[in-house]
Amino acid sequence: MNVFSGTNNFFEIKSTFRKLFSKNMVDGHEIVLYEQAIKNIFNANNVFTFASGRMGFYTILKAIDIKKDDEIIIPSFTCVVVPNAILYSGAKPIYCDIQETDFNIDVSKIETLITSKTRVLYAQHTFGQMSNINKIIEISKKYNLIVIEDVALALGSKIHNQYAGTLGDFGYVSTDRSKIINTGLGGIVFVNNKNYIKNFENIYRNIPYLSETLTKKIAISFIINIITLNPWFYWLGKFINTILSKLKILVYFLDEPFTNKDQISKYPYPARLSNILANIGLSQIQLLNKNLYNRKKITNYYNNILQIYTYDYINSKQNVFLRYSFLIKNRNTWEEKFSKKIDLSIWFKTIASGRNNNFEEINYNIGSNNTSEYVCKHIFNLPTHNQIKPEKLEKLLYELKNSGDIITKEHIL
Ligand SMILES: Cc1ncc(COP(=O)(O)O)c(C=O)c1O
């Protein structure tokens, strides 16, 4: 997957390159500055940074003292690292079906899944569209459950001026190269419920950093990605990028199929964010509003032609549209056409993206959640980062609109 946020700038490359030769590449003051900047922007008191979102999520589960066989209700339309983190903690993912309108958990089905073992309701804001968080919080209060918001795909989305991630008991963000902001790899946790702060801090204190060697590789990968995936020489750059990936010069945390934490041997899990990446985050977080503004502009461009959502839905602050997503017939044909123009890489083609078979290993029974499985077969999503020049897609977007292949009947919001 070559997709990246496309919001990084020359200044970030230069300062990352410089820091490769400094003593404080792994631990250092930029982490404090980055966390403080996040606190200020998101009006949050307790912010902790990690080497990835999944590691932040796993640490949240530890902080609530999750027990073996405790149950966590998640949507059956997610990334495989989510159920994996639950399995690493000893708990069980329980899958709730989604709505085909916004790809978020179907709140009308949550209560049927609650048992005496349920501990957590997982509020994932899919593709940057906010889930029905108020209803999820209401149900959590009725059954005394914890709400964890997954803001991996929705950084900056807000309701009544309060940001996603700060609404539930906990929230976490991913900042890898495909997300709203890109720090190479990275994650942020918000601890909002005061009752858990001490516990979280105690666990966090003992979490290690990534090694200097791995940190260096991640930082070099960040620089190479920005240069090679620049739209000015995109196809040549993409070719070079693919070769460097194959040679394992570029490193990522893959969406591994591992269901046991002991199978992860290449890096500590969980680990903290390295200083050199926090330094990128510091720049990225200051540019968040500009980034979101550009994404909205591109989303509006797509929507003006395809007319899938209402104007108000597109421009609502609740939705940041990391991907402009909809359902489609004949997906393979359209995937091929769009892939000739942009780096498309459609997201979430399976109920736990990154896993393509043996779903029982992550406690999912095929056939159990019909809407999710239907959406996986028909989902189509376009990137909105600012390296995308949507005008280049104009003809193709009209062709798609006129083809009748967009599944709209149940989709207009
Ligand atoms: C919905 C969702 N949640 C969580 C994550 C985890 O983020 P990370 O890759 O930083 O661990 C991802 C990753 O893509 C995701 O798509």
Side-chain angles (χ1 to χ4, degrees):
M1 185 162 85
N2 283 305
V3 173
F4 82 112
S5 303
T7 55
N8 303 91
N9 54 41
F10 179 68
F11 163 77
E12 290 168 7
I13 301 180
K14 205 169 98 185
S15 97
T16 305
F17 186 75
R18 270 211 198 120
K19 276 214 172 303
L20 281 173
F21 305 96
S22 79
K23 282 203 183 79
N24 58 357
M25 197 167 44
V26 174
D27 190 2
H29 189 53
E30 275 79 7
I31 297 170
V32 181
L33 296 179
Y34 179 42
E35 289 179 355
Q36 190 55 50
I38 297 166
K39 285 178 191 172
N40 295 347
I41 291 169
F42 292 87
N43 197 17
N45 291 325
N46 301 288
V47 167
F48 302 83
T49 51
F50 285 84
S52 68
R54 68 196 77 169
M55 295 177 184
F57 175 42
Y58 175 81
T59 306
I60 295 171
L61 296 178
K62 288 284 159 194
I64 62 166
D65 197 18
I66 202 90
K67 298 273 188 304
K68 189 169 175 336
D69 295 332
D70 279 351
E71 295 177 354
I72 297 175
I73 298 180
I74 64 172
S76 41
F77 191 61
T78 188
C79 176
V80 72
V81 300
V82 172
N84 284 352
I86 296 171
L87 293 168
Y88 300 162
S89 77
K92 243 182 171 174
I94 303 293
Y95 296 89
C96 184
D97 212 350
I98 61 162
Q99 317 181 112
E100 68 272 29
T101 45
D102 62 1
F103 320 112
N104 282 318
I105 197 161
D106 183 344
V107 289
S108 73
K109 295 192 173 135
I110 292 178
E111 284 184 271
T112 63
L113 298 167
I114 294 175
T115 70
S116 59
K117 299 210 160 180
T118 309
R119 290 283 313 280
V120 172
L121 301 181
Y122 191 81
Q124 174 182 299
H125 307 302
T126 311
F127 302 146
Q129 293 168 231
M130 194 183 266
S131 65
N132 190 345
I133 186 70
N134 289 336
K135 185 71 191 170
I136 295 171
I137 290 174
E138 188 189 313
I139 300 171
S140 78
K141 294 216 162 106
K142 186 167 160 195
Y143 294 91
N144 195 22
L145 304 172
I146 292 162
V147 174
I148 301 176
E149 284 183 271
D150 177 338
V151 194
L153 313 180
L155 184 67
S157 132
K158 55 183 167 181
I159 182 164
H160 308 312
N161 266 338
Q162 210 181 333
Y163 280 99
T166 67
L167 303 157
D169 297 291
F170 297 88
Y172 81 95
V173 182
S174 166
T175 63
D176 82 10
R177 65 190 185 140
S178 64
K179 303 303 188 323
I180 295 276
I181 66 167
N182 175 18
T183 59
L185 290 169
I188 305 164
V189 167
F190 296 99
V191 183
N192 307 315
N193 185 329
K194 290 193 180 75
N195 297 331
Y196 295 106
I197 292 167
K198 275 258 137 33
N199 242 7
F200 198 96
E201 278 174 348
N202 285 339
I203 295 168
Y204 191 75
R205 201 167 294 133
N206 294 315
I207 292 178
Y209 287 99
L210 298 173
S211 69
E212 191 167 305
T213 310
L214 184 55
T215 297
K216 201 175 255 178
K217 281 187 181 169
I218 295 168
I220 291 170
S221 301
F222 170 82
I223 295 172
I224 292 176
N225 275 331
I226 309 297
I227 295 170
T228 55
L229 300 178
N230 188 302
W232 289 108
F233 48 93
Y234 181 69
W235 294 109
L236 174 65
K238 186 171 168 167
F239 177 70
I240 295 169
N241 192 283
T242 307
I243 290 176
L244 294 176
S245 288
K246 289 227 161 89
L247 293 173
K248 298 206 166 39
I249 288 168
L250 301 180
V251 295
Y252 315 105
F253 297 144
L254 297 174
D255 296 340
E256 280 109 349
F258 306 144
T259 53
N260 185 332
K261 191 161 101 68
D262 297 337
Q263 292 169 289
I264 302 171
S265 57
K266 293 196 179 126
Y267 48 87
Y269 182 117
R272 296 191 195 195
L273 185 72
S274 301
N275 197 49
I276 192 168
L277 306 181
N279 184 51
I280 304 168
L282 203 48
S283 158
Q284 282 281 288
I285 206 81
Q286 312 292 355
L287 297 169
L288 179 64
N289 279 342
K290 192 170 161 220
N291 175 342
L292 294 175
Y293 174 80
N294 281 331
R295 286 182 187 275
K296 269 274 153 88
K297 231 165 86 180
I298 293 170
T299 305
N300 270 297
Y301 188 95
Y302 292 146
N303 201 55
N304 284 342
I305 297 175
L306 298 181
Q307 313 226 321
I308 287 165
Y309 299 94
T310 63
Y311 177 86
D312 287 347
Y313 186 80
I314 290 287
N315 294 294
S316 158
K317 290 199 163 124
Q318 289 186 35
N319 305 316
V320 292
F321 291 99
L322 175 64
R323 308 281 295 186
Y324 177 81
S325 309
F326 51 96
L327 301 174
I328 201 172
K329 292 184 238 163
N330 303 314
R331 182 170 64 191
N332 288 349
T333 311
W334 291 107
E335 186 169 12
E336 212 173 285
K337 289 187 185 208
F338 275 84
S339 296
K340 284 190 183 133
K341 301 260 177 205
I342 54 165
D343 194 351
L344 181 63
S345 308
I346 296 172
W347 292 12
F348 291 13
K349 287 177 168 178
T350 74
I351 60 105
S353 187
R355 174 175 280 273
N356 300 317
N357 50 36
N358 301 334
F359 289 93
E360 66 288 349
E361 287 181 9
I362 55 164
N363 201 37
Y364 183 78
N365 294 321
I366 293 290
S368 57
N369 286 341
N370 290 338
T371 306
S372 300
E373 290 177 30
Y374 175 83
V375 169
C376 288
K377 285 196 190 106
H378 296 283
I379 191 70
F380 198 79
N381 40 58
L382 296 167
T384 62
H385 61 76
N386 75 348
Q387 302 248 10
I388 293 288
K389 304 280 169 265
E391 309 80 36
K392 280 195 181 163
L393 295 174
E394 185 183 2
K395 251 177 80 184
L396 202 47
L397 290 166
Y398 275 112
E399 193 185 327
L400 172 60
K401 173 74 183 156
N402 296 330
S403 71
D405 275 352
I406 297 174
I407 305 172
T408 54
K409 190 164 50 66
E410 63 270 86
H411 201 263
I412 304 283
L413 282 158

